[in-house]
Amino acid sequence: MAAVVGLIAALGLGPVVEADAAAAGPGVTADRFGDRPHGFASLAGGTTGGAGGKVVTVTDQAALVKYAAAAEPYVIRVQGTITAEPFGASVEVASDKTIVGVGDSGELVQGEFHLSPGTHNVIIRNMTIRDSAIEGNWDCKDTDFDGIQMDTVQHVWVDHNRFSNICDGQLDVRKDSEYITVSYNRFEHNNKTFGLGWTTNVKTQITIDHNWFANTKQRNPSVDNAAYAHLYNNYLTAQVDPGDPVWTYGNWSRGRTRMVIENSYYQDVQHPYQADATAELVQHGSILKNTTGRHDAWGTAFDPRDFYDYRLDPAAAVPALVERFSGPQKAIGRAPYARH
């Protein structure tokens, strides 16, 4: 803890209040723990989830399914571990919902959150989503057990979650979904991690920041046909199966994607960032340590500041920041949702 506090203070990354450390950790600022999204999810009316709706606490699958699919807004607090039955079962999430883990203990095990076409205004935060993988089925070609899957949705914020050991995608953003922000998540122990696309249209706008990809093989993320993909301050490390010459990789700008990568940190990664000939990829300020393979950059892509303001942390600070602040946090599961 002291080392993290010292590094954050030395690099000038915001206030470090010792009194905060016992409760929520150092450097508690609006952009790290606030209950409003940044990036693309903040645009075009913003993303508020279930704000203004009833606050309910659920401890079992039936209650989670009931409130998540309801027509009216809800803030749904998930307390403890919920194991989905049957194995791989989906929890349908309707519009105007916030799903947030209580403390840092909220878990969905062997199940999926699913957002169907037309769904909008959803926040999923502070959850652990894990263990839908089938032993011995590494490629998962005959299953579709994602952690979160969304198709043709708008305004979704996926923040401070932990995804682990899922078959197949941990997070799939599909079929022309728009105004998405994916921030401060931990993606761990997986083959197909985080994919975007499944469309020939070029519509999606997505912000991906301060995420930790650890022991993940591919799609970290893979971004196909996104109009704007802004990746910054992400941490990629310790890939699984680095001897695979093709399908072990970090960030991939595919199809006609325009991608901007800023101040990320790549350690022990094969093909840290790459782009199709039809795509564009601009990279600024990242640190590469013990990386091999492709380091593509071409085209002009876009300027994220034409769309929104954001704070860019130094790449050297990314490992300490992301290790400390990504994944479920007790401060998130306690404070922000008491006042909705």
Side-chain angles (χ1 to χ4, degrees):
M1 175 73 74
V4 174
V5 173
L7 176 59
I8 292 170
L11 290 168
L13 302 181
V16 177
V17 182
E18 292 295 339
D20 290 335
V28 179
T29 59
D31 57 338
R32 302 210 197 279
F33 290 104
D35 56 358
R36 295 184 180 181
H38 54 280
F40 280 112
S42 70
L43 303 182
T47 304
T48 58
K54 292 181 180 179
V55 179
V56 296
T57 300
V58 301
T59 59
D60 59 63
Q61 182 178 357
L64 177 60
V65 167
K66 171 186 174 182
Y67 290 114
E72 60 268 37
Y74 276 102
V75 175
I76 304 165
R77 303 171 74 248
V78 179
Q79 183 169 310
T81 298
I82 295 176
T83 301
E85 298 289 350
F87 190 96
S90 291
V91 175
E92 189 70 26
V93 182
S95 299
D96 305 318
K97 299 295 182 296
T98 295
I99 298 174
V100 58
V102 173
D104 58 1
S105 67
E107 295 190 313
L108 179 63
V109 177
Q110 69 183 40
E112 169 190 305
F113 289 115
H114 185 260
L115 284 64
S116 292
T119 302
H120 61 274
N121 194 31
V122 171
I123 296 171
I124 301 176
R125 301 188 79 194
N126 217 50
M127 291 289 300
T128 292
I129 305 169
R130 62 175 175 87
D131 293 338
S132 64
I134 300 170
E135 187 174 356
N137 188 9
W138 179 241
D139 284 334
C140 301
K141 294 201 179 282
D142 53 350
T143 65
D144 194 18
F145 300 157
D146 296 330
I148 300 175
Q149 183 184 105
M150 59 188 80
D151 292 337
T152 322
V153 304
Q154 288 192 351
H155 291 100
V156 177
W157 186 27
V158 178
D159 178 72
H160 279 99
N161 302 288
R162 181 172 74 91
F163 300 84
S164 182
N165 197 36
I166 290 171
C167 189
D168 57 343
Q170 294 190 330
L171 174 59
D172 280 1
V173 179
R174 314 188 334 163
K175 300 178 182 178
D176 305 331
S177 295
E178 295 188 88
Y179 300 109
I180 313 296
T181 295
V182 177
S183 53
Y184 289 94
N185 299 283
R186 293 191 179 197
F187 297 93
E188 304 172 346
H189 311 302
N190 223 69
N191 179 9
K192 303 170 185 176
T193 308
F194 176 7
L196 185 150
W198 290 268
T199 177
T200 58
N201 299 319
V202 184
K203 294 182 65 175
T204 298
Q205 313 91 356
I206 188 165
T207 302
I208 302 167
D209 70 280
H210 293 91
N211 300 285
W212 188 3
F213 298 84
N215 296 305
T216 54
K217 178 178 170 65
Q218 59 179 305
R219 303 183 186 175
N220 296 300
S222 166
V223 182
D224 190 23
N225 286 332
Y228 306 107
H230 183 203
L231 286 63
Y232 68 95
N233 289 148
N234 295 297
Y235 182 32
L236 284 75
T237 186
Q239 284 179 310
V240 172
D241 195 10
D244 184 331
V246 178
W247 297 114
T248 300
Y249 62 88
N251 310 142
W252 193 346
S253 181
R254 303 178 62 181
R256 290 182 287 159
T257 292
R258 285 171 285 187
M259 178 181 288
V260 174
I261 298 172
E262 297 183 281
N263 289 27
S264 290
Y265 197 105
Y266 303 83
Q267 181 172 347
D268 304 321
V269 175
Q270 182 172 261
H271 307 308
Y273 45 86
Q274 60 184 307
D276 290 353
T278 53
E280 298 183 22
L281 192 159
V282 172
Q283 192 284 132
H284 301 295
S286 297
I287 290 176
L288 296 97
K289 185 176 181 180
N290 192 31
T291 64
T292 61
R294 294 176 62 176
H295 304 71
D296 299 338
W298 48 67
T300 57
F302 66 102
D303 184 351
R305 295 191 190 278
D306 288 342
F307 296 91
Y308 52 80
D309 293 326
Y310 57 100
R311 186 179 72 174
L312 193 61
D313 290 318
V318 164
L321 285 170
V322 171
E323 288 178 17
R324 174 64 187 91
F325 290 111
S326 66
Q329 306 281 326
K330 288 182 179 179
I332 293 173
R334 179 182 59 249
Y337 298 95
R339 62 176 181 267
H340 279 302

